[in-house]
Every structure is written in C-alpha cells, then in structure tokens.
Amino acid sequence: MRLTLHIWRQKNGGDAGGFVSYPRQDVSPDMSFLEMLDVLNEELTEAGDEPVAFDHDCREGICGACGVMINGVAHGPEPGTATCQLHMRKFKDGDEIRVEPFRSRAFPILKDLVVDRSPLDEIIQAGGFISVNTGSAPEANLMPVPRRDAERAMDAAECIGCGACVAQCPNGAGQLFTAAKISHLAELPQGQPERASRASAMVEVMESYFGSCSNFAECEAVCPKGISIDFIAQMNREYLRSRFK
Amino acid sequence: MSSILSLYRSAIGKKAVMAVSGFLLVGFVLGHMAGNFKIFLGEEKFNHYAEWLREIGSPALPHGGALWIARIVLLGAVLLHIHSAWSLTRASRKARPERYRRKLSARQATYASRTMRWGGVIIVLFVFFHLAHFTWGWSWAHPDFDPGNAYRNVVEGFRVPWVVAFYIVAQLALGLHLYHGFWSALQSLGWDHRAIDSWRRPAAATIAVALTLGNTALAISVLTGWVG
C-alpha cells in the first residue's frame, strides 16, 4: 500500500509543533498502525533523524497506553479497537492519514504524539479503590454477587483508561472514564462502604481538569472497550445522591 | 439549602439544575400549546380561557396573581437554564485550549445535540419576539394589538407570512432542542433505569414532534384562514 502520513511533530511541551509529511511505500496491510510507525521510525533512525515518539505497551488492546487521533477520530476508523489493534487493511491505497496527539488542557503534550494522562490517575487516587484489611484471602463465595450486578461491574471494569473519551469529546470531558470507574465499584458489595464519598471525591477531581458532559455520546463511539454512556447516567445518580447524604 | 447551593458549584450539579429547569419549561410549553388549542373553539371560548388564566386562585389570589407567580417561576427557570448552559460551555471551551488541527469527525452525536447551544439562542430570540408580539403588543411586532382581545391578536398576528415563517423556524429549533434535551435531561439526572430505558428516546421524539407540529399547525391554520 502507498500512503501519505501527516504526523504531528513537537519537540517538547514548549515547542509550537506542526505536521510533517511522510510519504510511505510498501506498507503491508497486515501491519498494525503502531507497527507501521515502527517501520517509519527505523527508517528515520537510520537516516539520522529523530523517530516519532508515541506511547505503546501491551499491543493487544488491554493496557490503555497507546492512543492517537487518526483523521480526527481517537484510535482511528475501526470501532471498538485501540490504536495498536487497528490494522492497515482498514485504510485504502493512496490514503492521506493525519495523526495528531490527544488534545486536552489536562493532557499536556510531552513530545510528538505522547501526552501526559496523569490526571486520570489522580481521579483513581481520589477514590477508585476499596479500603479493606489485606489479611489472608477470603473464601471465594463468602460474598454472593447477583449475576446481573457482576456483569454490569465487569462491563464498567473493561475501561483501560486510554483517554480516548476525553480526546474525542467536543467538551473535553472525562466523564466516561470516571463513570466507568465509579460504576464498577458501586455495583459490587465491596464498594458499598465508600460509595458516596468515592463518587463525590472522584467527580471533584474530574471537574478540576475536564469539561462537562453534553451527552453527545462521542466518547462511547470511540471507546476501544465500548463502555456505554449508561454509566455516565449512573455516575450522575451516584454523585447527586452523595450530595444529599 | 446549602447542599443545593454547593451542588450548583459542580458541573454535574449544574446539569441537574439545567435538567430540572428544562422539565419545568417543557411542562409549560406543553400546557401553553394545549391551552392555545382553544383557538379552534372560537373567539368567545378562547378569550374566556385567557380571562380564566387571570382568575386562577381567585379570590385567594388577586386578579392575575397566579399568572404572575407562574411568570416569576418561569423566568427563574429560564435564567437558571441559561446560566448553567453558559458557564458549562465556558468551562468546556477551557478544557481544550489548543484546538485540533484536523477537525474532530462526529461519530454518533446527533444533529440535535450539536445544535443545542445555537438552537437555544434562537429560542431565546424567539421568546423575546413572541412576548413583544402577543404579551407586550409592541407596535413594530404587532401593529393592531388590542390588550383586551387575545383572540383577535392571535388571528391578526398570524395573518402576516414572515411572522408565521419565523414562528415555524423557531418551532423547528424548539423541536430539535427538546429531542436532545428531554433525553439528555434524564441522563443528567441519572434516570436510566431499565424500566424506562426503552422509552427515553421515543418519549423525547414524541414531545419534540408534538410541539413542533401542534404549534406550527395553529399558526398555519390562521394564516390560511381556516381559523378566524
């Protein structure tokens, strides 16, 4: 395949940055998007140029490290897929591909396509956990969980924290991520003691960094794990309830 | 009280206030339309209804008392609705100071959801004109206004084609606003229980279509001479 990449290059946070075009020949349709960038980087390195910096880790869609904007869509055109699992066969020969970093006030650009997503960690630190005595492991079925609750908690727990929801949201909101984390624990018996304080604390940190929700549902459309905006409704409920406790 | 005030400081709280004030305003426009359908019953019935609105609560309330209470509550709802929208929009703009160079491609956001803010502006302008037209009777909006005869005001007001055209545009804007707004308000309040989940979208669509068609039908009936 022949492609033209226009990749955002930026030396560091202070640099203005801009697109640089890289015409590509012989791109294998079986490569993942990141492998395609790897090949480009090898060539850049051999030519003595700076390789394109991008985040990646597991490359099997479960770690949440990768993520770039591909032609105006977080993680690119294939729904339900992280950038690492997007394959070049999803593009057509001769395509022009514009690659930009996730943009948000909360995600400052470190270099090229790499952004600092630590505000998502701060939201977790504010309440995305349960406080328990870490003695010996309890018996497996000591705490029965209705199947429906377990399924819903699992659906929310699928969130890999990649930040695509923030990147795609016209408001730059971090609602889908926070909602998934709050709902996940609110569905399970272990999450009950800190349910209200968790919702309140996590929302407070979220709102200090991100925009607000207009229920566009763009986040749901690009989420590599297909997290439903139903969880945003649940977060709203959990938060409003916590305010009247 | 203090919990309500602190709630309004948060964005989710503002959305809740926007939702509740929105429901109040939806209730009003539905009632307003239902009442206005009395125009089809003729001059006497319609003017009697207009007079009755001023007599609600009589003799406990003075003449027009209930009407003024309703106006104050509605004005409060409108101001809260607009203020919450305004401040949330500003906060969201600040959340992405550096724009994308390649515009975001909308994946599934509806046209209605993407036009909420400007649609709201159209509705505000329309409400202002509507009041000048039928309540204040300002001469540029309604040259033949007679404060004592609501029926004649409506009939003569809707004989002007550009006025009816503007009303239709505004009703379309209102319909779009409510199609997203009604559903979105349920979402903002966290009312997504399975029992109501399947009718949230259809209910929003029904309300939006009913209001747009109902109000438009009224104005067109007068314009075409079917009423009056």
Side-chain angles (χ1 to χ4, degrees), chain B residues 31-167:
Chain B
H32 187 48
M33 178 178 76
N36 286 347
F37 279 157
K38 288 208 180 280
I39 196 99
F40 294 110
L41 301 178
E43 183 161 357
E44 198 188 328
K45 290 261 171 59
F46 188 76
N47 282 342
H48 184 251
Y49 164 68
E51 187 50 32
W52 171 78
L53 287 178
R54 283 156 184 78
E55 293 300 328
I56 302 172
S58 180
L61 293 171
H63 184 77
L67 204 56
W68 272 105
I69 292 170
R71 282 169 176 162
I72 289 163
V73 170
L74 288 172
L75 186 65
V78 167
L79 292 178
L80 282 172
H81 201 71
I82 293 175
H83 180 263
S84 51
W86 174 262
S87 58
L88 290 173
T89 302
R90 276 172 53 98
S92 295
R93 294 259 188 279
K94 278 194 212 139
R96 184 171 294 130
E98 192 161 358
R99 320 302 300 168
Y100 281 111
R101 302 307 191 276
R102 164 67 164 79
K103 213 170 147 283
L104 284 173
S105 311
R107 305 300 280 173
Q108 65 181 24
T110 58
Y111 181 74
S113 72
R114 288 182 284 124
T115 52
M116 288 302 275
R117 287 162 185 156
W118 283 109
V121 171
I122 293 177
I123 294 167
V124 167
L125 292 175
F126 165 74
V127 168
F128 182 78
F129 177 78
H130 186 48
L131 288 171
H133 193 209
F134 285 143
T135 303
W136 306 325
W138 289 358
S139 58
W140 61 269
H142 201 310
D144 307 313
F145 189 76
D146 169 6
N149 193 336
Y151 183 83
R152 299 276 13 126
N153 289 339
V154 172
V155 167
E156 273 151 38
F158 284 146
R159 287 278 152 81
V160 187
W162 71 264
V163 168
V164 173
F166 179 49
Y167 269 76

